[in-house]
Amino acid sequence: LAQPDGRESGFGVFFDTVGNPILVGIVSVGALAAGRLARGQQFRDSSYDLLVAATVNYLYTGALKLATNRTRPDGSNDASFPSGHTSAMFALATVLDRHYGMMVGVPGYFVASLVGASRINRGAHFLSDVVAGAAIGFIVGRTVVRQNDAPLEAPRFSLQPAVGPSGQRGLIVMIRF
């Protein structure tokens, strides 16, 4: 919301800061450092998964932004789709939900939803950007969490967005035999 002098305050600014992918990365690195010092295995595991989710989410979201080149509603640049703030927060909320259950997950998803709403409110994203960011973050969070200390089985088939050195866009197809 804009103040009379043109500065923004409140809802949009707070959640814009909370969902900033760089801040999410810094918090994830801090959680990992704290997790290495902690004695509890659950916190150690969750802190590792938070960092992995933040990193994987950042790479996928960035690749999709480059591949789609969608202009933001406010016209500020061509990095609208998907919402990186929203995807980062949904990835973290999903990891926390998987490790600690609904008592932590539900508030995490609520905050992630507020981040997405704030991005629309500020004119930085369309609703479809936020929905796609939420879906990407949720999928990344679900994928990186290991259950019962079992490593994830590598997928047999996957598609990944790719941008070549000259800016050409495409998909990488991987098949494991």
Side-chain angles (χ1 to χ4, degrees):
L1 301 171
Q3 295 179 349
D5 62 3
R7 294 181 300 124
E8 286 190 63
S9 66
F11 176 76
V13 173
F14 176 75
F15 287 103
D16 204 35
T17 303
V18 168
N20 184 308
I22 294 170
L23 180 61
V24 167
I26 291 168
V27 168
S28 298
V29 168
L32 180 68
R36 298 311 100 194
L37 300 173
R39 293 179 189 235
Q41 191 61 41
Q42 184 178 21
F43 183 66
R44 291 176 64 92
D45 291 345
S46 65
S47 67
Y48 175 80
D49 288 343
L50 285 170
L51 181 60
V52 172
T55 303
V56 169
N57 182 73
Y58 182 78
L59 294 172
Y60 277 136
T61 303
L64 284 169
K65 284 180 178 289
L66 286 172
T68 58
N69 231 14
R70 184 177 190 184
T71 303
R72 292 183 185 273
D74 63 6
S76 61
N77 61 37
D78 292 333
S80 186
F81 184 87
S83 170
H85 287 68
T86 306
S87 66
M89 291 304 293
F90 268 90
L92 296 188
T94 303
V95 168
L96 293 173
D97 180 41
R98 299 287 285 174
H99 280 283
Y100 297 103
M102 288 180 19
M103 293 298 287
V104 176
V106 169
Y109 289 127
F110 181 71
V111 170
S113 298
L114 290 176
V115 167
S118 75
R119 301 300 288 157
I120 295 169
N121 184 53
R122 295 192 74 193
H125 288 289
F126 298 102
L127 176 61
S128 58
D129 302 337
V130 169
V131 170
I136 291 164
F138 180 79
I139 291 167
V140 167
R142 292 279 299 201
T143 302
V144 303
V145 174
R146 295 167 283 126
Q147 292 294 311
N148 301 320
D149 294 324
L152 292 172
E153 182 179 318
R156 296 196 179 276
F157 175 81
S158 67
L159 292 172
Q160 297 177 3
V163 178
S166 301
Q168 63 272 42
R169 296 178 183 102
L171 288 174
I172 296 173
V173 178
M174 291 191 292
I175 302 171
R176 184 173 61 92
F177 297 96

